[in-house]
Amino acid sequence: QVQLVESGGGFVQAGGSLRLSCAASGRTFSTYVMGWFRQAQGKEREFVAELSGSGGSISYADSVKGRFTISRDNAKKTVFLQMNSLKPEDTAVYYCAADTIFAYGNIWSPRYWGQGTQVTVSS
């Protein structure tokens, strides 16, 4: 099994930036698809971004394209989400996720989840 721990959330003003990190356990990190979801108050969890083990396949939600960048460091067993030009509507709890299967967009249903980290963007 895989354990995921997110960090890097916080409070920022609109237009600002944050970088989220997700540290993973185990020896199989490089073979796992890693990604991020988010859940705003009163709304269902939604897909944000996804990255294959090799880094060769990437998927982003339309709402974050051009602003967010997902990356990974397999040697450090860590995945990142660089969030730029943040908007109030980006406010949500962000969850790191992992699975062996890559599927584009919100049809991806990862097996493993982190505990979540709060991102709040003020206007």
Side-chain angles (χ1 to χ4, degrees), residues 12-123:
V12 296
Q13 293 82 46
S17 298
L18 282 174
R19 189 179 76 159
L20 305 183
S21 299
C22 175
S25 66
R27 296 180 176 179
T28 60
F29 181 82
S30 63
T31 68
Y32 273 81
V33 178
M34 302 294 298
W36 295 89
F37 288 72
R38 66 187 183 186
Q39 186 169 21
Q41 284 284 341
K43 295 191 175 182
E44 295 185 349
R45 186 174 297 180
E46 65 175 347
F47 171 81
V48 175
E50 182 184 5
L51 181 65
S52 65
S54 67
S57 297
I58 305 176
S59 180
Y60 292 101
D62 288 342
S63 60
V64 306
K65 286 180 180 177
R67 299 189 299 120
F68 291 11
T69 302
I70 187 170
S71 61
R72 64 194 295 159
D73 185 336
N74 286 343
K76 297 181 178 180
K77 299 179 182 179
T78 304
V79 64
F80 305 96
L81 185 68
Q82 179 66 47
M83 305 184 294
N84 298 326
S85 302
L86 282 162
K87 305 174 181 179
E89 51 263 45
D90 295 319
T91 295
V93 176
Y94 283 71
Y95 297 91
C96 180
D99 208 314
T100 58
I101 303 297
F102 186 98
Y104 292 100
N106 60 9
I107 66 172
W108 188 47
S109 183
R111 182 186 309 170
Y112 302 105
W113 296 84
Q115 82 286 357
T117 185
Q118 177 71 48
V119 172
T120 302
V121 184
S122 62
S123 60

